[in-house]
Structures are given as C-alpha cells and as structure tokens.
Amino acid sequence: MDCLFCKIAAGEIPSEKVYEDDTVLAFRDIDPQAPFHVLIIPKEHMESAAVVTPQNSGVVAHMAEVAAILAKENGLTGGFRLVSNCGADAMQSVPHLHVHMLAGRLLGWPPG
Ligand code: DGP
C-alpha cells in the first residue's frame, strides 16, 4: 500500500522514533508546531478516526496509553494536547490515523 505512515512504521522511511511496541509507533513530526510534537500511529493501517470500530478500538485506546507514557518519560508536567485531524474539513493531510501530541508551550484554544 502506498501509505507514508505505513512506510514509516515498516522502517522504509526514516523517522525520529520516541516510542515503539508491537502495535503502536510514535515519532517526531517533521514540521513541529510546539517544542514537543510527536505523532502517535497504529502500525496497522487505518485511514482515520472515522473508521474506528469495536473491532479495532483497542489500538486506539493503546495510543492514549502511549501518550501518558510519553508525558511521564518527557516530564511534560505542564500538560499536553492530543488532536487527530479527520477528513478534509479538519485538514487531514496523511490518510493514516495519527494523533498529534503537542506540549512545551501554551497552546491556544480554539485551534483555528
Ligand atoms: P495532518 O495534517 O493532521 O494529517 O498531519 C500530518 C502530519 O504529518 C504533519 O504535521 C506533518 C507530518 N509529516 C508529513 N510527512 C512526514 C514525514 O515524512 N515524516 C514525519 N516525521 N512527519 C511527517
């Protein structure tokens, strides 16, 4: 499948990994919007949050666990934001489910 994040998950395209296990990978965003900006992805291809079902939601819950692990490991005591752009109106640019984890500065709301 010609999917950028599948290729990153497979190690075919290099990335700066910050966490990896059997089902989930986290790596630094190529265009960071905060001092800490990583993408948390399922290794298995899922297009977006719009295709989460009872059958595949386990890995999505695990992505939240990974965020909590990363917050502890990286001392993100000031907090962090998780956001997953889904579809055209949200300006999703890579059609493989990913959660942005942002921290290290005051994050405005609404995001715009
Ligand atoms: P989104 O717009 O929500 O679909 O976010 C896609 C993010 O992916 C965007 O912040 C930039 C990041 N990105 C795109 N290509 C690459 C890449 O080749 N490597 C890394 N590390 N990040 C990428």
mmCIF file of all heavy atoms in Angstrom, residues 4-5 8 27-30 39 85 91-94 98 100, ligand 1:
data_model
loop_
_atom_site.group_PDB
_atom_site.id
_atom_site.type_symbol
_atom_site.label_atom_id
_atom_site.label_comp_id
_atom_site.label_asym_id
_atom_site.label_seq_id
_atom_site.Cartn_x
_atom_site.Cartn_y
_atom_site.Cartn_z
ATOM 1 N N LEU A 4 2.376 6.741 3.387
ATOM 2 C CA LEU A 4 3.582 7.304 4.016
ATOM 3 C C LEU A 4 3.806 6.744 5.418
ATOM 4 O O LEU A 4 4.920 6.312 5.768
ATOM 5 C CB LEU A 4 3.445 8.833 4.054
ATOM 6 C CG LEU A 4 4.540 9.606 4.768
ATOM 7 C CD1 LEU A 4 5.882 9.421 4.074
ATOM 8 C CD2 LEU A 4 4.176 11.074 4.857
ATOM 9 N N PHE A 5 2.755 6.755 6.245
ATOM 10 C CA PHE A 5 2.959 6.327 7.633
ATOM 11 C C PHE A 5 3.096 4.808 7.730
ATOM 12 O O PHE A 5 3.752 4.318 8.665
ATOM 13 C CB PHE A 5 1.855 6.871 8.538
ATOM 14 C CG PHE A 5 1.969 8.367 8.814
ATOM 15 C CD1 PHE A 5 1.004 9.036 9.548
ATOM 16 C CD2 PHE A 5 3.055 9.109 8.341
ATOM 17 C CE1 PHE A 5 1.109 10.398 9.814
ATOM 18 C CE2 PHE A 5 3.173 10.473 8.585
ATOM 19 C CZ PHE A 5 2.194 11.121 9.326
ATOM 20 N N ILE A 8 6.743 4.494 7.176
ATOM 21 C CA ILE A 8 7.486 4.870 8.389
ATOM 22 C C ILE A 8 7.382 3.745 9.419
ATOM 23 O O ILE A 8 8.381 3.356 10.038
ATOM 24 C CB ILE A 8 6.968 6.218 8.940
ATOM 25 C CG1 ILE A 8 7.463 7.355 8.024
ATOM 26 C CG2 ILE A 8 7.429 6.446 10.378
ATOM 27 C CD1 ILE A 8 6.981 8.747 8.400
ATOM 28 N N PHE A 27 6.642 9.081 16.709
ATOM 29 C CA PHE A 27 7.844 9.700 16.130
ATOM 30 C C PHE A 27 7.635 11.205 16.021
ATOM 31 O O PHE A 27 6.492 11.684 15.979
ATOM 32 C CB PHE A 27 8.162 9.092 14.746
ATOM 33 C CG PHE A 27 7.020 9.138 13.768
ATOM 34 C CD1 PHE A 27 6.920 10.168 12.831
ATOM 35 C CD2 PHE A 27 6.027 8.176 13.771
ATOM 36 C CE1 PHE A 27 5.873 10.223 11.924
ATOM 37 C CE2 PHE A 27 4.961 8.213 12.870
ATOM 38 C CZ PHE A 27 4.892 9.231 11.953
ATOM 39 N N ARG A 28 8.739 11.933 15.937
ATOM 40 C CA ARG A 28 8.656 13.394 15.903
ATOM 41 C C ARG A 28 8.086 13.879 14.569
ATOM 42 O O ARG A 28 8.441 13.367 13.506
ATOM 43 C CB ARG A 28 10.031 14.021 16.154
ATOM 44 C CG ARG A 28 10.525 13.741 17.559
ATOM 45 C CD ARG A 28 11.645 14.648 18.002
ATOM 46 N NE ARG A 28 12.175 14.174 19.281
ATOM 47 C CZ ARG A 28 11.637 14.447 20.471
ATOM 48 N NH1 ARG A 28 10.567 15.215 20.554
ATOM 49 N NH2 ARG A 28 12.162 13.961 21.585
ATOM 50 N N ASP A 29 7.190 14.855 14.669
ATOM 51 C CA ASP A 29 6.598 15.461 13.470
ATOM 52 C C ASP A 29 7.688 16.207 12.698
ATOM 53 O O ASP A 29 8.540 16.884 13.275
ATOM 54 C CB ASP A 29 5.473 16.420 13.869
ATOM 55 C CG ASP A 29 4.593 16.798 12.692
ATOM 56 O OD1 ASP A 29 5.075 17.533 11.790
ATOM 57 O OD2 ASP A 29 3.432 16.359 12.652
ATOM 58 N N ILE A 30 7.641 16.091 11.389
ATOM 59 C CA ILE A 30 8.655 16.727 10.535
ATOM 60 C C ILE A 30 8.527 18.251 10.550
ATOM 61 O O ILE A 30 9.485 18.967 10.233
ATOM 62 C CB ILE A 30 8.524 16.176 9.088
ATOM 63 C CG1 ILE A 30 9.823 16.321 8.315
ATOM 64 C CG2 ILE A 30 7.359 16.819 8.347
ATOM 65 C CD1 ILE A 30 9.831 15.542 7.006
ATOM 66 N N LEU A 39 3.869 12.345 16.615
ATOM 67 C CA LEU A 39 2.706 11.692 16.018
ATOM 68 C C LEU A 39 2.650 10.269 16.560
ATOM 69 O O LEU A 39 3.667 9.561 16.549
ATOM 70 C CB LEU A 39 2.839 11.658 14.495
ATOM 71 C CG LEU A 39 2.973 13.021 13.820
ATOM 72 C CD1 LEU A 39 3.301 12.853 12.333
ATOM 73 C CD2 LEU A 39 1.701 13.840 13.986
ATOM 74 N N ASN A 85 -6.663 14.994 13.348
ATOM 75 C CA ASN A 85 -7.400 15.571 12.242
ATOM 76 C C ASN A 85 -8.014 14.453 11.415
ATOM 77 O O ASN A 85 -7.334 13.481 11.074
ATOM 78 C CB ASN A 85 -6.463 16.433 11.388
ATOM 79 C CG ASN A 85 -5.913 17.613 12.167
ATOM 80 O OD1 ASN A 85 -6.640 18.237 12.940
ATOM 81 N ND2 ASN A 85 -4.631 17.912 11.994
ATOM 82 N N MET A 91 -8.507 19.194 7.714
ATOM 83 C CA MET A 91 -7.224 19.318 7.009
ATOM 84 C C MET A 91 -6.282 18.146 7.295
ATOM 85 O O MET A 91 -5.071 18.325 7.412
ATOM 86 C CB MET A 91 -6.556 20.670 7.320
ATOM 87 C CG MET A 91 -7.424 21.835 6.894
ATOM 88 S SD MET A 91 -6.615 23.436 7.031
ATOM 89 C CE MET A 91 -5.479 23.378 5.669
ATOM 90 N N GLN A 92 -6.867 16.941 7.385
ATOM 91 C CA GLN A 92 -6.023 15.747 7.486
ATOM 92 C C GLN A 92 -5.229 15.628 6.192
ATOM 93 O O GLN A 92 -5.805 15.616 5.102
ATOM 94 C CB GLN A 92 -6.881 14.489 7.699
ATOM 95 C CG GLN A 92 -6.034 13.220 7.829
ATOM 96 C CD GLN A 92 -6.869 11.961 8.027
ATOM 97 O OE1 GLN A 92 -8.114 11.988 7.933
ATOM 98 N NE2 GLN A 92 -6.213 10.846 8.291
ATOM 99 N N SER A 93 -3.899 15.571 6.304
ATOM 100 C CA SER A 93 -3.074 15.520 5.091
ATOM 101 C C SER A 93 -2.462 14.146 4.844
ATOM 102 O O SER A 93 -2.027 13.866 3.729
ATOM 103 C CB SER A 93 -1.964 16.581 5.157
ATOM 104 O OG SER A 93 -1.109 16.335 6.245
ATOM 105 N N VAL A 94 -2.404 13.303 5.872
ATOM 106 C CA VAL A 94 -1.872 11.945 5.699
ATOM 107 C C VAL A 94 -2.984 10.961 6.086
ATOM 108 O O VAL A 94 -3.395 10.925 7.252
ATOM 109 C CB VAL A 94 -0.617 11.709 6.562
ATOM 110 C CG1 VAL A 94 -0.101 10.289 6.379
ATOM 111 C CG2 VAL A 94 0.482 12.721 6.221
ATOM 112 N N HIS A 98 -3.527 9.206 12.884
ATOM 113 C CA HIS A 98 -2.430 9.673 13.733
ATOM 114 C C HIS A 98 -2.976 10.672 14.733
ATOM 115 O O HIS A 98 -3.887 11.443 14.425
ATOM 116 C CB HIS A 98 -1.293 10.305 12.915
ATOM 117 C CG HIS A 98 -1.727 11.328 11.921
ATOM 118 N ND1 HIS A 98 -2.316 11.000 10.722
ATOM 119 C CD2 HIS A 98 -1.671 12.690 11.953
ATOM 120 C CE1 HIS A 98 -2.591 12.105 10.047
ATOM 121 N NE2 HIS A 98 -2.216 13.153 10.785
ATOM 122 N N HIS A 100 -1.716 13.796 16.986
ATOM 123 C CA HIS A 100 -0.656 14.753 17.288
ATOM 124 C C HIS A 100 -0.597 14.911 18.806
ATOM 125 O O HIS A 100 -1.629 15.122 19.451
ATOM 126 C CB HIS A 100 -0.975 16.134 16.699
ATOM 127 C CG HIS A 100 -1.029 16.179 15.203
ATOM 128 N ND1 HIS A 100 0.003 16.675 14.437
ATOM 129 C CD2 HIS A 100 -2.000 15.810 14.322
ATOM 130 C CE1 HIS A 100 -0.330 16.618 13.157
ATOM 131 N NE2 HIS A 100 -1.544 16.095 13.056
HETATM 132 P P1 DGP B 1 -2.272 16.014 9.451
HETATM 133 O O1 DGP B 1 -2.237 17.309 8.726
HETATM 134 O O2 DGP B 1 -3.092 16.065 10.723
HETATM 135 O O3 DGP B 1 -2.672 14.870 8.545
HETATM 136 O O4 DGP B 1 -0.792 15.759 9.966
HETATM 137 C C1 DGP B 1 0.201 15.159 9.224
HETATM 138 C C2 DGP B 1 1.492 15.482 9.893
HETATM 139 O O5 DGP B 1 2.466 14.609 9.366
HETATM 140 C C3 DGP B 1 2.014 16.887 9.649
HETATM 141 O O6 DGP B 1 2.072 17.598 10.888
HETATM 142 C C4 DGP B 1 3.408 16.717 9.082
HETATM 143 C C5 DGP B 1 3.705 15.268 9.361
HETATM 144 N N1 DGP B 1 4.509 14.605 8.325
HETATM 145 C C6 DGP B 1 4.240 14.565 6.997
HETATM 146 N N2 DGP B 1 5.173 13.844 6.361
HETATM 147 C C7 DGP B 1 6.052 13.426 7.322
HETATM 148 C C8 DGP B 1 7.235 12.643 7.286
HETATM 149 O O7 DGP B 1 7.692 12.162 6.235
HETATM 150 N N3 DGP B 1 7.873 12.432 8.464
HETATM 151 C C9 DGP B 1 7.409 12.946 9.652
HETATM 152 N N4 DGP B 1 8.117 12.672 10.747
HETATM 153 N N5 DGP B 1 6.284 13.677 9.723
HETATM 154 C C10 DGP B 1 5.617 13.917 8.566
#
